């Protein structure tokens, strides 16, 4: 498929990966060159060679990524930023929506560079002993402090990273989320150990480069190329004025990591405080296909797009927010049992009041001109989850003389056992229902023909197959004049 | 907390540990460190562990997600029967494989990680979990097209004989005009 540069740039080029990759590459190269060409590391480099440069360069990249990895997880802060007017450009909002992807990218970088770092240090340990320096005894690896503390903390760090990484695969998150959650919370132990990792001063730099230029001749040494000849006056400068002195590096990781760590701890504390406020359940509705809708009320809370709600289970005219949840695992089953006890049990069920509020005339303030809502379900019953909302919206828009604002397209993918939505009140839905999977190319053709020279935002929430197809279509060059911006959401 | 399937996590850990053993072994052999024989052993051990752990087992509840191209590995691992099905055996095998790797600095990390995986497998075994292979479902199609292939054996049913018989008492009503003129062969 031919790529359109304009579409590709809108979808991929704006990604922060390029900036992040550039920052990592620059940091790696800069540190590498500092250690390979820096005067203060001359003797150390002679002893350890490439292993020194690679281990230090990967360490600085690790510092950067360990500090960046926490920032996308400050969800309350990101929600706040997303809503402010200063950062209300679409590009920035899309960037903030990709925070989870960025977190994963930093995590993978941490794992890769840990492998590089450990391998390089293994080579360093061998070289420290193989090239033990009699001339510069201060440079050698101090037996206790320099070897044991970084060694043991390093092993512990890798073990924690191993536990976190193996529990974060898609399969584990899908089936046993608790393993992922509890191992990931070991991050605090990881960061504490990381900050003491460099204590011990294994790596030293030379402090007196001006008085002892690296490579200078010692008083009892003679220059190899002037053997047997008298030293000329000019060569006096090549004599060392004093012995080389070395000083261990101070641990620097705390400078990188403490800011984001404090920010994230504040975020967790804020979430904990907010979660202590009780939530009132206003309505519970049981929909077909094992779905329940729960509408809730919380003090000082208004639902905004892009927010993440963590639900933990124990009228007046207020705005409720709600979640639809599919009852699949043990948590959702227990939650349903608590809210909707099975019939036959003698319990008093209090009457619940249903309240629905939609924006009354607030369409004009949004830049959205038209909405195509494409919904693909396996069974017909699933459409009942949001049937009331969709029909109400449809009627409201017809009455406001904006029939083209909302274009509904419903698809039932399972073609056996045909049924129809026979209720008269769901007529707008049943007349827009098609059997079989949607043909995305035709849909995109239709949308691009009807919306020339416009920006079309595509929001996909669904399985990877559909997401990939849509992403490719958005990037293809078929639609001249129309830019399709691809966005996706995943909840695992 | 509901019923957690520990074996799935142990499988991820063992696969990662196999890769760590492999990497540590390559570094140890490549740098010709002291004790490089242990590094060579851990390369072989890493490859073995990766091959054993690559095929994911079937989940008790819900859909199982296969790893790419794992079918041939599933068949090989399944062939060993109870040796690979039982997680006690796997825990013991991993613990035994991990021990020699602990004698060299380059591979000690692989040893520790495989040891942790072995412990989690032991926990899974105590919980009563077993390794079940993910095999492709044999699609049982409904035999819809079968009846179309065979032509009908019998002619369609005819109305009863009295309706078919020409009504002799009503010759006028039974008569009809031939649309084509009827002529004999002489003409």
């Amino acid at each position: 498929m031919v790529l359109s540069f304009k579409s590709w740039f809108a979808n991929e080029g704006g990604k922060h990966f390029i900036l992040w990759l550039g920052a990592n590459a620059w940091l790696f190269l800069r540190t590498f060159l500092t250690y390979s060409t820096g005067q203060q590391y001359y003797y150390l480099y002679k002893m350890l060679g490439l292993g020194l440069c690679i281990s230090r360069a990967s360490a600085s990249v690790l510092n950067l990524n360990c500090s960046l990895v926490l920032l996308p997880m400050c969800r309350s802060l990101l929600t706040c930023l997303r809503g402010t007017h200063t950062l209300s450009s679409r590009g920035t909002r899309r960037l903030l929506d990709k925070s989870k992807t960025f977190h994963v990218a930093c995590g993978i970088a941490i794992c890769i560079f840990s492998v590089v770092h450990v391998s390089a240090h293994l080579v360093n340990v061998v070289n420290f002993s193989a090239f033990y320096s009699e001339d510069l005894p201060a440079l050698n690896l101090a037996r206790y402090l320099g070897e044991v503390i970084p060694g043991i903390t390093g092993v512990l760090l890798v073990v924690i990273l191993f536990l976190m990484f193996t529990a974060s695969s898609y399969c584990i998150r899908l089936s046993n989320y608790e393993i992922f959650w509890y191992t990931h919370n070991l991050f605090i132990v990881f960061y504490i150990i990381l900050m003491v990792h460099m204590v011990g001063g294994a790596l030293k730099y030379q402090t007196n480069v001006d008085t002892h230029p690296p490579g200078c001749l010692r008083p009892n040494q003679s220059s190899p190329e002037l053997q047997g000849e008298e030293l000329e006056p000019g060569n006096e400068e090549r004599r060392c004025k004093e012995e080389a002195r070395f000083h261990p590096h101070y641990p620097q990781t705390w400078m990188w990591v403490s800011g984001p760590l404090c920010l994230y701890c504040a975020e967790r504390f804020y979430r904990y405080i907010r979660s202590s406020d009780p939530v009132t359940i206003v309505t519970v509705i049981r929909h077909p296909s094992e779905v329940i809708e729960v509408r809730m009320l919380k003090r000082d809370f208004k639902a905004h797009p892009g927010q993440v709600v963590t639900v933990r289970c124990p009228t007046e005219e207020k705005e409720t927010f709600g979640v639809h949840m599919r009852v699949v695992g043990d948590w959702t089953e227990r939650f349903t049992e608590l809210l909707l006890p099975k019939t036959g049990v003698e319990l008093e069920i209090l009457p619940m009041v249903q309240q629905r509020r939609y924006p009354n005339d607030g369409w004009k303030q949004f830049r959205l001109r038209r909405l195509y809502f494409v919904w693909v379900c396996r069974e017909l019953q699933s459409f009942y989850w949001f049937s009331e909302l969709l029909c109400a919206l449809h009627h409201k828009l017809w009455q406001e003389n904006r029939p083209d604002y909302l274009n509904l397209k419903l698809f039932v993918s399972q073609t056996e056992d045909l049924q129809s939505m026979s209720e008269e009140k769901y007529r707008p839905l049943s007349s827009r229902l098609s059997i079989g999977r949607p043909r995305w190319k035709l849909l995109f053709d239709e949308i691009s023909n009807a919306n020339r020279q416009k920006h079309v935002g595509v929001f996909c929430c669904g399985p990877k197959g559909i997401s990939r197809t849509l992403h490719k279509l958005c990037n293809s060059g078929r639609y001249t004049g129309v830019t399709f911006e691809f966005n996706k959401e995943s909840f695992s | 907390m509901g019923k957690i399937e520990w074996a799935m996590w142990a499988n991820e850990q063992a696969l990662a540990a196999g890769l760590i053993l492999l990497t540590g072994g390559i570094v140890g052999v490549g740098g010709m460190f002291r004790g490089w024989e242990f590094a060579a052993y851990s390369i072989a051990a890493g490859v073995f562990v990766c091959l054993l752990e690559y095929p994911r087992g079937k989940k008790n509840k819900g859909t199982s997600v296969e790893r790419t191209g794992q079918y041939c590995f599933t068949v090989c691992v399944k062939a060993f029967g109870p040796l690979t099905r039982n997680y006690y055996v796997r825990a013991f095998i991993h613990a035994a494989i991990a021990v020699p790797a602990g004698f060299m600095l380059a591979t000690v990390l692989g040893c520790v990680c495989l040891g942790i995986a072995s412990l989690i497998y032991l926990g899974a075994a105590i919980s009563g979990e077993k390794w079940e292979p993910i095999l492709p479902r044999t699609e049982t199609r409904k035999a819809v097209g079968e009846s179309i292939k065979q032509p009908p054996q019998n002619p369609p049913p005819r109305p009863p004989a009295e309706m078919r018989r020409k009504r002799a008492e009503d010759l006028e009503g039974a008569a009809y005009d031939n649309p084509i003129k009827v002529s004999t062969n002489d003409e």
Side-chain angles (χ1 to χ4, degrees):
Chain A
M1 218 181 276
V2 173
L3 285 186
S4 147
F5 183 70
K6 195 162 143 223
S7 291
W8 185 85
F9 194 78
N11 280 320
E12 320 286 345
K15 279 188 183 168
H16 46 270
F17 284 136
I18 296 176
L19 187 65
W20 171 77
L21 276 173
N24 278 297
W26 175 82
L27 195 61
F28 190 92
L29 278 171
R30 194 188 85 141
T31 318
F32 189 95
L33 289 171
T34 308
Y35 279 86
S36 59
T37 58
Q39 293 277 298
Q40 67 273 40
Y41 300 113
Y42 177 83
Y43 291 111
L44 196 60
Y45 180 64
K46 258 180 64 174
M47 191 191 275
L48 299 176
L50 216 57
L52 168 74
C53 306
I54 292 179
S55 66
R56 294 312 303 156
S58 56
S60 58
V61 169
L62 279 172
N63 279 336
L64 174 69
N65 282 296
C66 284
S67 66
L68 288 178
V69 80
L70 286 171
L71 297 176
M73 292 295 115
C74 300
R75 288 214 161 103
S76 308
L77 180 66
L78 291 181
T79 310
C80 191
L81 284 173
R82 202 177 183 283
T84 57
H85 288 294
T86 44
L87 286 170
S88 64
S89 83
R90 194 169 64 233
T92 321
R93 277 203 306 276
R94 289 185 79 209
L95 199 70
L96 293 175
D97 286 341
K98 293 191 173 104
S99 54
K100 199 183 98 168
T101 316
F102 183 55
H103 176 83
V104 170
C106 288
I108 293 177
I110 289 174
C111 290
I112 293 174
F113 281 99
S114 298
V115 172
V116 172
H117 182 76
V118 169
S119 309
H121 269 316
L122 286 172
V123 174
N124 285 343
V125 165
V126 167
N127 283 338
F128 259 128
S129 66
F131 298 108
Y132 186 87
S133 173
E134 303 283 349
D135 297 330
L136 302 163
L139 200 56
N140 295 309
L141 190 61
R143 182 67 221 172
Y144 191 72
L145 267 182
E147 219 175 62
V148 170
I149 292 182
I152 294 192
T153 51
V155 168
L156 283 174
L157 284 171
V158 171
V159 166
I160 295 177
L161 196 63
F162 167 76
L163 289 173
M164 284 168 73
F165 185 70
T166 51
S168 338
S169 73
Y170 173 70
C171 205
I172 302 278
R173 272 181 286 137
L174 203 63
S175 52
N176 300 301
Y177 195 79
E178 302 93 352
I179 297 180
F180 163 72
W181 178 250
Y182 289 116
T183 45
H184 245 64
N185 279 308
L186 288 172
F187 78 95
I188 191 73
V189 181
F190 181 86
Y191 277 97
I192 292 170
I193 299 181
L194 187 66
M195 289 199 269
V196 299
H197 180 55
M198 265 298 278
V199 165
L203 291 173
K204 302 183 183 79
Y205 64 97
Q206 186 185 343
T207 48
N208 58 344
V209 177
D210 44 353
T211 48
H212 179 112
C216 63
L217 297 167
R218 294 209 178 71
N220 54 350
Q221 266 181 327
S222 62
S223 167
E225 57 261 25
L226 296 169
Q227 284 226 341
E229 289 178 27
E230 284 293 321
L231 271 174
E232 292 177 17
N235 282 337
E236 286 302 320
E237 288 155 17
R238 292 185 61 195
R239 290 268 171 217
C240 309
K241 294 192 183 67
E242 55 182 27
E243 286 296 313
R245 281 202 294 270
F246 298 96
H247 197 275
H249 269 294
Y250 285 118
Q252 280 183 336
T253 308
W254 68 271
M255 293 196 295
W256 289 88
V257 151
S258 48
L261 191 61
C262 288
L263 198 64
Y264 185 70
C265 289
E267 154 88 22
R268 290 290 288 262
F269 187 65
Y270 170 76
R271 280 194 223 168
Y272 175 74
I273 300 289
R274 286 289 287 160
S275 72
S276 56
D277 264 345
V279 172
T280 314
I281 295 180
V282 172
T283 320
V284 178
I285 303 166
R286 200 193 261 277
H287 289 287
S289 301
E290 297 287 329
V291 166
I292 59 170
E293 180 185 345
V294 184
R295 296 208 75 83
M296 297 166 272
L297 204 61
K298 192 177 163 92
R299 186 178 67 91
D300 290 336
F301 174 70
K302 192 170 181 295
H304 293 288
Q307 276 181 321
V308 173
V309 175
T310 312
V311 178
R312 198 171 255 157
C313 176
T315 212
E316 207 179 312
E317 291 277 307
K318 281 208 179 119
E319 275 193 49
T320 62
F321 68 99
V323 292
H324 279 65
M325 48 176 88
R326 188 136 203 202
V327 180
V328 174
D330 53 301
W331 189 90
T332 37
E333 273 172 16
R334 184 88 187 101
F335 190 53
T336 315
E337 269 170 45
L338 287 172
L339 294 173
L340 301 162
K342 291 194 175 61
T343 52
V345 180
E346 300 255 348
L347 273 182
E348 183 185 316
I349 299 174
L350 301 172
M352 310 260 203
V353 176
Q354 265 203 38
Q355 272 202 343
R356 294 282 162 75
R357 296 188 61 183
Y358 304 118
N360 287 319
D361 57 350
W363 305 106
K364 295 183 189 65
Q365 73 195 67
F366 298 117
R367 285 174 58 187
L368 183 69
R369 288 282 155 259
R370 199 171 272 168
L371 177 65
Y372 289 84
F373 186 71
V374 180
W375 191 6
V376 186
C377 282
R378 215 171 272 164
E379 313 165 312
L380 194 81
Q381 298 291 317
S382 314
F383 292 119
Y384 288 102
W385 304 341
F386 292 104
S387 51
E388 303 239 348
L389 172 64
L390 290 173
C391 288
L393 260 175
H394 172 84
H395 283 126
K396 184 180 139 56
L397 287 165
W398 271 77
Q399 261 143 40
E400 286 182 9
N401 199 25
R402 299 207 58 177
D404 61 335
Y405 197 90
L406 177 65
N407 296 279
L408 283 170
K409 289 179 199 302
L410 307 179
F411 294 87
V412 179
S413 59
Q414 212 170 54
T415 48
E416 295 123 23
D417 303 334
L418 285 183
Q419 300 161 29
S420 62
M421 294 172 100
S422 47
E423 298 90 334
E424 189 51 41
K425 57 177 173 164
Y426 298 136
R427 196 63 195 285
L429 301 184
S430 56
S431 58
R432 286 163 176 79
L433 181 67
S434 309
I435 309 297
R437 290 191 181 156
R439 291 159 77 182
W440 299 111
K441 277 209 186 93
L442 295 178
L443 203 63
F444 270 60
D445 283 340
E446 182 196 322
I447 293 174
S448 64
N449 284 333
N451 299 284
R452 287 182 194 276
Q453 307 299 331
K454 296 271 192 301
H455 253 95
V456 178
V458 178
F459 295 86
C460 169
C461 179
K464 284 203 174 72
I466 295 184
S467 171
R468 259 187 233 127
T469 313
L470 290 179
H471 201 167
K472 267 199 227 150
L473 274 172
C474 288
N475 276 347
S476 75
R478 286 162 63 103
Y479 311 107
T480 46
V482 180
T483 314
F484 285 97
E485 276 182 16
F486 179 72
N487 304 278
K488 76 169 184 256
E489 182 73 76
S490 70
F491 295 106
S492 55
Chain B
M1 234 194 270
K3 185 107 174 63
I4 292 183
E5 289 190 44
W6 296 100
M8 192 172 281
W9 188 28
N11 169 265
E12 300 278 334
Q13 286 191 330
L15 190 62
L19 290 170
I20 295 174
L21 270 175
L22 187 64
T23 314
I26 290 174
V27 168
V29 165
M32 287 306 275
F33 294 170
R34 199 182 58 221
W36 65 269
E37 296 89 358
F38 289 108
Y41 159 80
S42 82
I43 291 179
V47 169
F48 171 74
V49 166
C50 285
L51 289 174
L52 174 63
E53 296 294 336
Y54 190 72
R56 239 185 222 134
K58 203 154 131 180
K59 263 184 5 193
N60 284 336
K61 215 172 123 187
T63 44
S64 315
V65 180
E66 271 192 350
R67 288 202 177 98
T68 326
Q70 79 165 42
Y71 179 64
C72 42
F73 297 98
T74 309
V75 166
C76 297
V77 171
K78 182 167 165 270
F80 286 93
L83 277 180
T84 44
R85 200 168 46 236
N86 191 313
Y87 283 140
Y88 282 110
V89 175
R90 271 208 206 197
F92 177 73
I93 289 177
H94 286 321
I97 289 177
V99 166
F103 289 104
M104 197 200 162
L105 186 63
T107 53
V108 79
L109 274 171
C111 165
V112 170
C113 295
L114 195 58
I116 295 175
S118 158
L119 281 172
I120 310 277
Y121 262 130
L122 189 64
I126 294 171
S127 300
E129 294 172 35
K130 279 198 191 37
W131 187 81
E132 298 284 339
I134 303 178
L135 295 166
R137 265 184 317 166
T138 45
E139 300 270 338
T140 48
R141 281 168 176 265
K142 279 185 276 198
V144 172
E146 288 292 316
S147 59
I148 299 175
K149 286 190 191 131
Q150 291 195 1
Q153 303 292 337
N154 299 315
R158 293 185 298 173
E162 60 216 7
M163 284 182 65
R164 274 183 279 120
R165 196 185 308 131
K166 211 188 235 180
R167 290 176 297 166
E169 61 274 15
D170 186 16
L171 274 171
E172 290 300 313
Y176 60 95
D177 285 332
N178 259 334
I180 300 170
K181 191 163 173 292
V182 177
S183 56
T184 58
N185 279 341
D186 311 331
E187 294 171 21

